[in-house]
Structure formats: C-alpha cells, structure tokens
Amino acid sequence: MVKTQKTEPNQTDRLLVIACGMIAREVLAVKQQLKLDHLELTCLPAEFHFYPDRIAPAMDKAIEKAKAEGYQHIFVGYADCGTGGLLDRVIEKHGVERMAGPHCFAFYQGMDAYAKVADDDMMSFYMTDFLCRQFDSFFIKPLGLDRHPELIKDYFGNYEKLIYLAQTDDPELDKVAEKAAAMLGLVYERRSTGYGDLTSELAQAAQSTA
C-alpha cells in the first residue's frame, strides 16, 4: 500500500518522489546532501525488483493518489527496471519524468560510465548497498539457498563476476559482498559509485518547484 503524507496548504510547492524501496535510503541521503527540504519521499515495495510487471500499474495508482492529494510536482524514482517500456507509458500518461536508464545499476554508475562497461558486464551479477544489507532476505532465503546450496549453480551458473556498486564506504557491506561472491563462486569486483546520476537527476527535478 502506497502511503504519502497528509495534504497541506503548500503541497503544490513540494516535490514528491515516488521511488523503488531499494533506493529509499539513497534518495534521503541525497535530499540531506543537497538540502532539498521540499522533497518528500514515498516508495513502492522493494520486492517489485522481482516482479517488474507490478511496477507500472502500482505507479499509475500512486501518481493518481498523489495528484488527488494536491501534489503538482512528481518525480518517478525508477529507471525502466524491467518493465519493457510499460512504466514509460504511465509517466507519459501523467506528464511526469523518471530516472534515465534501464535500471538502478546503470544510474548509480552514471549513464555515460555504464555505457562503456555494459557489454563487458553482461555476465556480471550486480549488488548495491541495499542488496548487501538485504542479501539473506532478498536472495538466500527466497531462493532456498540456505536449505539447498546445490541450487547456486542453477541460479548463478551463467554469471562470471559479482560487481559491488558501493554507494558508501562501509567495511561491513564490503564483507557481505566479498562473502557473497565467494559463496556464489564468482570473481569479485568493487566499484565505488556513490549515488551516481541519482544526485543530479533529483537536483534537476527539485528545480521544477523553484
């Protein structure tokens, strides 16, 4: 269920970001970094990462709800994220914009940087700060790898490398990513990306309310 804050008289002056739950912490970090006090955040469930067909219809309802509450400035905190263009139909319908790119793994690296490595990374399994924090609950338990480790080859056998796209410098998250790579039998690589294009795109979206 999507939740937004109660409408206030100055709601039209605020920017509502409707984002994937996987990037909530990062959106709030950028908000603080850029002092975007007029930015508000609401999220769709992070589990939609596994069910991209749910993103577009849920976003449609979330935008309609936000507009009914008085929000005039709305930004979609998703890339295409596996919707096959269906999300773009929703944002076109409502006249809003979204993050550029195919997925968060691209915009965290920056679209220009991603374009240079996309082909080489085709056989790579990406992890982010969120996925490191939620590795057990997002991968191990749902896939049953804690009970049936022999399934690792079935799920990850086509990957060659695990690439940790680090938004922050956290040794504990580094350990999780390294351990995950070892468990999955993949070569490990760490890339310090920060928040990538998320920073510039939120800053640009925030200007619409200036």
Side-chain angles (χ1 to χ4, degrees), residues 18 56 62 64 103 126 129 138 162 204 206:
I18 305 176
E64 287 180 352
H103 41 61
Y126 285 125
D129 283 12
F138 243 62
L162 183 150
Q204 184 175 352

PDB file of all heavy atoms in Angstrom, residues 18 56 62 64 103 126 129 138 162 204 206:
ATOM      1  N   ILE A  18       8.339   9.361  -5.995  1.00  0.00           N
ATOM      2  CA  ILE A  18       7.753   8.025  -5.801  1.00  0.00           C
ATOM      3  C   ILE A  18       8.805   7.035  -6.297  1.00  0.00           C
ATOM      4  O   ILE A  18       9.038   6.908  -7.495  1.00  0.00           O
ATOM      5  CB  ILE A  18       6.442   7.862  -6.578  1.00  0.00           C
ATOM      6  CG1 ILE A  18       5.449   8.974  -6.210  1.00  0.00           C
ATOM      7  CG2 ILE A  18       5.825   6.493  -6.279  1.00  0.00           C
ATOM      8  CD1 ILE A  18       4.167   8.935  -7.010  1.00  0.00           C
ATOM      9  N   ALA A  56       4.525  -0.808 -13.101  1.00  0.00           N
ATOM     10  CA  ALA A  56       3.752   0.187 -13.850  1.00  0.00           C
ATOM     11  C   ALA A  56       2.345   0.385 -13.283  1.00  0.00           C
ATOM     12  O   ALA A  56       1.932   1.533 -13.045  1.00  0.00           O
ATOM     13  CB  ALA A  56       3.704  -0.184 -15.329  1.00  0.00           C
ATOM     14  N   ALA A  62      -0.237   5.147  -7.704  1.00  0.00           N
ATOM     15  CA  ALA A  62       0.461   6.029  -6.775  1.00  0.00           C
ATOM     16  C   ALA A  62       0.449   7.472  -7.266  1.00  0.00           C
ATOM     17  O   ALA A  62       0.271   8.415  -6.477  1.00  0.00           O
ATOM     18  CB  ALA A  62       1.902   5.553  -6.585  1.00  0.00           C
ATOM     19  N   GLU A  64      -1.772   8.818  -9.373  1.00  0.00           N
ATOM     20  CA  GLU A  64      -3.154   9.303  -9.277  1.00  0.00           C
ATOM     21  C   GLU A  64      -3.484   9.720  -7.851  1.00  0.00           C
ATOM     22  O   GLU A  64      -4.115  10.758  -7.621  1.00  0.00           O
ATOM     23  CB  GLU A  64      -4.120   8.201  -9.742  1.00  0.00           C
ATOM     24  CG  GLU A  64      -4.109   7.970 -11.245  1.00  0.00           C
ATOM     25  CD  GLU A  64      -5.079   6.878 -11.675  1.00  0.00           C
ATOM     26  OE1 GLU A  64      -5.640   6.207 -10.779  1.00  0.00           O
ATOM     27  OE2 GLU A  64      -5.274   6.704 -12.896  1.00  0.00           O
ATOM     28  N   HIS A 103      18.060   0.571 -15.458  1.00  0.00           N
ATOM     29  CA  HIS A 103      17.918   0.094 -14.080  1.00  0.00           C
ATOM     30  C   HIS A 103      18.828   0.894 -13.155  1.00  0.00           C
ATOM     31  O   HIS A 103      19.641   1.705 -13.620  1.00  0.00           O
ATOM     32  CB  HIS A 103      18.246  -1.406 -13.975  1.00  0.00           C
ATOM     33  CG  HIS A 103      19.424  -1.828 -14.801  1.00  0.00           C
ATOM     34  ND1 HIS A 103      20.696  -1.324 -14.602  1.00  0.00           N
ATOM     35  CD2 HIS A 103      19.528  -2.682 -15.850  1.00  0.00           C
ATOM     36  CE1 HIS A 103      21.535  -1.860 -15.482  1.00  0.00           C
ATOM     37  NE2 HIS A 103      20.851  -2.688 -16.253  1.00  0.00           N
ATOM     38  N   TYR A 126      25.184  -7.803 -10.275  1.00  0.00           N
ATOM     39  CA  TYR A 126      25.389  -6.552  -9.547  1.00  0.00           C
ATOM     40  C   TYR A 126      24.808  -6.626  -8.141  1.00  0.00           C
ATOM     41  O   TYR A 126      23.738  -7.196  -7.911  1.00  0.00           O
ATOM     42  CB  TYR A 126      24.693  -5.399 -10.267  1.00  0.00           C
ATOM     43  CG  TYR A 126      25.361  -4.891 -11.524  1.00  0.00           C
ATOM     44  CD1 TYR A 126      24.658  -4.844 -12.716  1.00  0.00           C
ATOM     45  CD2 TYR A 126      26.668  -4.411 -11.507  1.00  0.00           C
ATOM     46  CE1 TYR A 126      25.241  -4.345 -13.877  1.00  0.00           C
ATOM     47  CE2 TYR A 126      27.256  -3.905 -12.661  1.00  0.00           C
ATOM     48  CZ  TYR A 126      26.542  -3.879 -13.840  1.00  0.00           C
ATOM     49  OH  TYR A 126      27.118  -3.385 -14.985  1.00  0.00           O
ATOM     50  N   ASP A 129      24.412  -1.256  -2.087  1.00  0.00           N
ATOM     51  CA  ASP A 129      24.372  -1.209  -0.624  1.00  0.00           C
ATOM     52  C   ASP A 129      23.109  -1.897  -0.110  1.00  0.00           C
ATOM     53  O   ASP A 129      23.155  -2.680   0.847  1.00  0.00           O
ATOM     54  CB  ASP A 129      24.393   0.244  -0.133  1.00  0.00           C
ATOM     55  CG  ASP A 129      25.779   0.864  -0.212  1.00  0.00           C
ATOM     56  OD1 ASP A 129      26.678   0.270  -0.843  1.00  0.00           O
ATOM     57  OD2 ASP A 129      25.964   1.953   0.364  1.00  0.00           O
ATOM     58  N   PHE A 138      16.719 -11.159   0.601  1.00  0.00           N
ATOM     59  CA  PHE A 138      16.356 -10.935  -0.797  1.00  0.00           C
ATOM     60  C   PHE A 138      16.774 -12.067  -1.715  1.00  0.00           C
ATOM     61  O   PHE A 138      16.159 -12.272  -2.764  1.00  0.00           O
ATOM     62  CB  PHE A 138      16.974  -9.610  -1.279  1.00  0.00           C
ATOM     63  CG  PHE A 138      15.950  -8.580  -1.663  1.00  0.00           C
ATOM     64  CD1 PHE A 138      15.069  -8.094  -0.718  1.00  0.00           C
ATOM     65  CD2 PHE A 138      15.852  -8.108  -2.954  1.00  0.00           C
ATOM     66  CE1 PHE A 138      14.111  -7.147  -1.055  1.00  0.00           C
ATOM     67  CE2 PHE A 138      14.903  -7.164  -3.309  1.00  0.00           C
ATOM     68  CZ  PHE A 138      14.022  -6.683  -2.351  1.00  0.00           C
ATOM     69  N   LEU A 162      30.844 -11.016  -9.661  1.00  0.00           N
ATOM     70  CA  LEU A 162      29.953 -10.233  -8.817  1.00  0.00           C
ATOM     71  C   LEU A 162      30.567  -8.843  -8.689  1.00  0.00           C
ATOM     72  O   LEU A 162      31.710  -8.701  -8.261  1.00  0.00           O
ATOM     73  CB  LEU A 162      29.786 -10.866  -7.442  1.00  0.00           C
ATOM     74  CG  LEU A 162      28.802 -10.181  -6.476  1.00  0.00           C
ATOM     75  CD1 LEU A 162      28.173 -11.196  -5.529  1.00  0.00           C
ATOM     76  CD2 LEU A 162      29.463  -9.054  -5.662  1.00  0.00           C
ATOM     77  N   GLN A 204      17.876  18.235 -10.449  1.00  0.00           N
ATOM     78  CA  GLN A 204      17.162  18.822 -11.580  1.00  0.00           C
ATOM     79  C   GLN A 204      15.649  18.785 -11.346  1.00  0.00           C
ATOM     80  O   GLN A 204      14.945  19.754 -11.647  1.00  0.00           O
ATOM     81  CB  GLN A 204      17.514  18.064 -12.857  1.00  0.00           C
ATOM     82  CG  GLN A 204      16.876  18.664 -14.121  1.00  0.00           C
ATOM     83  CD  GLN A 204      17.346  17.965 -15.378  1.00  0.00           C
ATOM     84  OE1 GLN A 204      18.259  17.128 -15.338  1.00  0.00           O
ATOM     85  NE2 GLN A 204      16.728  18.284 -16.487  1.00  0.00           N
ATOM     86  N   ALA A 206      14.143  18.841  -8.549  1.00  0.00           N
ATOM     87  CA  ALA A 206      13.813  19.782  -7.484  1.00  0.00           C
ATOM     88  C   ALA A 206      13.701  21.205  -8.009  1.00  0.00           C
ATOM     89  O   ALA A 206      12.994  22.039  -7.441  1.00  0.00           O
ATOM     90  CB  ALA A 206      14.868  19.715  -6.385  1.00  0.00           C
TER      91      ALA A 206
END
